[in-house]
Each structure stands twice: as structure tokens, then as C-alpha cells.
Amino acid sequence: MTINIFGLFAEVVGGLFIGSLFGFLLQKAGVTDFRTIKNQLLLKDFTVMKVILSAIVTGSLGLYIYRNFINEQSLIINSTTLKAAFYGGAIFGVGMATLGFCPGTCIGALAEKSKAAFWGIAGMLIGAFSYSKLATFIQKHFKPQESICKTTLDEQLGVSPLIIILFLAFFIVIIKTLDKKNLIRKNK
Amino acid sequence: MKKFLKKEKWSPYVVGSGIGAVFLMSYIFFKHTLGSSVSFVKLTAFLHQIIDQNAVKENPYYQDYLKSLAWIDWQVALVMGIFFGAYLSIKFSKKTDRFCKNKKNISIRAKLLSLIGGFFVIFGARFAGGCTSGHAISGGIQLALSGYLFMAGVFLAGIPTAFLARKIFRGDYI
């Protein structure tokens, strides 16, 4: 098997472009600082939740409009089982709490010359290697082909996506109000 | 506009909405979603291949991610872009003590914590089939049940771990 260095030109250029915008935004939010993520899990600073929730609300609203009025393009949901998503999330959570980065923000932090990010990436390489050795076992027990589930919340609950988006937007309002009233302990 | 780009920090709501827009661009124009953890598998496979020529041939998991027959594909280019974008953002910003703090050397205990944390981050991400960008953001935007279960797992395990780690490691933790 010969593997080329570069893939399709459009994919590489597109990935670089989208990634640059993504990295710029992550840095501007301050999530490339491990303190921001650690303080989120210590419930001191809700920046991470605010970023994720507002990305979801904006993105899903746009997606709803695009798919309903412009082009009924199919969804691109990661192929996994519900059990694996939850357990994997828990393992990931332990790591994110210890390191203070997720893979994307760790790369961003590397641009800040963060020492923690450098050691984190070393750990990630060991993690990827270990997983590759256990992949067959985990695949068999946690991700059998027949349990792969790409269902969405609106499908599952039988409601319009707009109801769920509204609910998530309401969640942002709650966090914002709590933050304003200083009920969430401010970091500093 | 220039002043806005130079600002050290943007409101999390502005950044979040921007990420939502970036997702839409990638979904509409490139038919891809955001994701970071797969690139770490590819980087590992690449490094492994340098040490051992048969590494990819003998490892079916590496092969799963090399179906495009290219080391630098959408996913890897995206991660390279993240580095470049974050770098640009710093260049635009006025330097503050936050950057100096990050550049500072860290203790052996802090290095070890980061190493172990990194291990669990990628192991968990590959177990789950995605990370924060793949499951939480891209999955979350598409209202995928798996994305929300992933986030539940992250917070349910991450919160007690953070409190415990702060108690044990104190200054080496945060």
C-alpha cells in the first residue's frame, strides 16, 4: 500500500481554510488556555458551555433552514454506538479534566507555545497507539455494526428540531442570567 | 474591524456563533464536519511507520483511517489549520500575561499530569468515535443523540476528576 503525502487538493485547501477559522475562533475565546477548560469543570467559569451552546444554536438553526429550504443534504453524523459515545465521553472527560485541553484546543495551545499542550500531545500519541492495539476488542464489545446509531434528538422525541433548538437557547439564557447575577463564582 | 481583530478575547457567544457558521460552511461547501481526534491516529501511524516499515500493514486500525491513501487529507489539514489560525489570532492580539503564563516552564508533576491527561483524551475520543469538535459541536449541531450522550459522559466524569485533581495536585494542577 503506497500512501501519498497529500490528498485531494480541494480537501487539503478546504481543510486548511476551515481549520484556520476554527483555530482563530478557539484562540479568541480563550479555550486554548487550559485554565479556561479546567475552570469550566470546576464550575467556576462557564466559557466552554457558552461557546458550545451558542455554536449549537446558531449552527443547528442554519442547518435547519438550509436543509428545509435550500438543499436536503443528508446529515454527517459520526458512526458510533450510544454506549460507546457515553463511555468514551467519560474516559475523555477524565482526560480533559486532567489535561485541560481537548485535541483541537491542544493544537491551538501549541501555537501559544504552551508546555502543557506539548506534553499533552505526547500523551495523545501514546493514547492513539494503545487504542489501535485494543481497537478490535473494543469494536467487538462496544461498537458492533448492528448497534451503530445515528439517530437525532428530534427523531427520537418526535418533535420539530426547532423545539429542541429553542430549549437549548433557553439553556443559554439561564447560564447568562446566573452569570450576570454572579451566582456562578467568578474566577479571579 | 481592525480593533476587533486585535482584541485579546472575544465574547464566548460571538465565538460560538462563529463556530456555528464555520460548521455550516464546511458542511455546505465541503460536505465535511469538524473533527480533530482522527488526525492524532494518523500522526501516530505516520511516526510508527518511520520506526517500523510494516506498522500500517500490520495494524488494521491505522488502515481504517488511511483509506484516502493520503497522510494529509481533510482531517489533518483541518488540524494544521487550527494551529495556523490560533497562531494568527495571537499575532493579532496584544500580548498579555496570559501568553507568558502559558509559555512558562511547568513542574515534573504537571508534565506527568498532562501526559496522562493526553492519553485519556485520545483513548476516550477514539472509544467514543469523536471528540469535542466531532461529537459535541458537529454532532450537537446536527442534534445527534450520540453527541449529547458524549457531552453527558464528559461532564459527569470530568467534574469529579477536576475537583479531585485540584485537591491532590493543587498548584501543579491549576
Side-chain angles (χ1 to χ4, degrees):
Chain A
M1 181 160 73
T2 30
I3 302 158
N4 302 315
I5 296 287
F6 291 102
L8 294 171
F9 182 74
E11 297 256 305
V12 175
V13 174
L16 279 175
F17 172 65
I18 294 290
S20 305
L21 293 175
F22 191 33
F24 193 91
L25 288 166
L26 290 175
Q27 210 287 329
K28 283 287 180 221
V31 288
T32 51
D33 182 343
F34 67 80
R35 277 168 286 263
T36 311
I37 295 182
K38 284 181 177 175
N39 279 328
Q40 168 66 70
L41 293 172
L42 292 167
L43 307 176
K44 268 184 169 180
D45 173 347
F46 277 68
T47 304
V48 177
M49 281 276 254
K50 287 176 196 165
V51 170
I52 293 181
L53 281 171
S54 40
I56 292 178
V57 170
T58 327
S60 52
L61 207 58
L63 192 69
Y64 177 82
I65 295 168
Y66 182 73
R67 293 186 70 226
N68 277 277
F69 300 107
I70 302 167
N71 179 359
E72 214 181 311
Q73 187 180 323
S74 52
L75 294 176
I76 313 166
I77 294 171
N78 285 5
S79 159
T80 189
T81 63
L82 299 180
K83 212 159 80 176
F86 182 74
Y87 291 150
I91 301 171
F92 184 90
V94 169
M96 196 165 91
T98 331
L99 173 63
F101 295 118
C102 53
T105 55
C106 198
I107 293 289
L110 207 58
E112 289 187 12
K113 296 186 185 141
S114 155
K115 296 281 185 298
F118 175 81
W119 287 94
I121 287 182
M124 287 183 195
L125 296 177
I126 304 171
F129 173 75
S130 314
Y131 187 85
S132 82
K133 291 289 171 200
L134 293 171
T136 323
F137 174 81
I138 294 169
Q139 212 81 21
K140 200 173 129 198
H141 291 274
F142 295 92
K143 299 194 228 180
Q145 203 57 44
E146 66 274 13
S147 314
I148 297 286
C149 177
K150 295 193 177 188
T151 184
T152 57
L153 287 175
D154 48 300
E155 244 171 42
Q156 201 68 19
L157 300 170
V159 294
S160 159
L162 289 175
I163 306 265
I164 294 162
I165 299 169
L166 208 67
F167 178 78
L168 291 167
F170 182 64
F171 211 59
I172 298 183
V173 175
I174 293 177
I175 291 182
K176 203 173 170 180
T177 334
L178 287 176
D179 213 7
K180 249 195 192 143
K181 290 190 176 160
N182 260 326
L183 290 175
I184 299 170
R185 268 178 305 152
K186 272 280 186 206
N187 184 36
K188 262 175 233 177
Chain B
M1 185 67 191
K2 215 173 167 189
K3 214 172 157 192
F4 183 64
L5 285 175
K6 273 189 178 167
K7 248 173 97 175
E8 192 213 339
K9 230 174 177 181
W10 287 357
S11 140
Y13 306 108
V14 171
V15 171
S17 313
I19 292 176
V22 170
F23 169 85
L24 288 173
M25 275 159 69
S26 108
Y27 172 84
I28 294 170
F29 301 124
F30 301 102
K31 308 228 165 2
H32 276 295
T33 57
L34 309 173
S36 315
S37 63
V38 167
S39 300
F40 286 89
V41 180
K42 294 192 82 167
L43 178 61
T44 309
F46 185 74
L47 296 174
H48 197 173
Q49 172 101 329
I50 295 175
I51 305 167
D52 174 8
Q53 277 200 332
N54 295 322
V56 174
K57 219 186 281 169
E58 285 162 4
N59 194 322
Y61 189 69
Y62 289 161
Q63 287 163 19
D64 281 351
Y65 295 100
L66 286 161
K67 280 184 188 136
S68 62
L69 292 178
W71 290 109
I72 302 178
D73 58 2
W74 168 268
Q75 289 259 4
V76 178
L78 188 96
V79 168
M80 290 173 154
I82 293 178
F83 181 87
F84 181 64
Y87 183 79
L88 271 187
S89 167
I90 299 162
K91 284 287 144 201
F92 278 133
S93 310
K94 277 188 234 124
K95 294 250 162 67
T96 54
D97 57 307
R98 190 159 72 84
F99 300 123
C100 304
K101 248 189 193 165
N102 280 343
K103 273 198 261 183
K104 218 173 57 183
N105 246 320
I106 53 175
S107 67
I108 299 276
R109 264 158 55 113
K111 282 175 189 166
L112 210 63
L113 264 182
S114 305
L115 194 75
I116 295 167
F119 174 89
F120 281 111
V121 162
I122 285 293
F123 197 93
R126 288 335 301 154
F127 196 118
C131 59
T132 322
S133 22
H135 267 325
I137 294 175
S138 302
I141 288 175
Q142 299 179 79
L143 305 178
L145 182 54
S146 52
Y148 289 88
L149 284 173
F150 174 80
M151 279 190 264
V154 172
F155 281 97
L156 282 176
I159 292 170
T161 310
F163 277 96
L164 194 70
R166 184 177 61 176
K167 202 163 177 158
I168 299 173
F169 297 99
R170 293 165 193 278
D172 289 324
Y173 179 66
I174 191 156

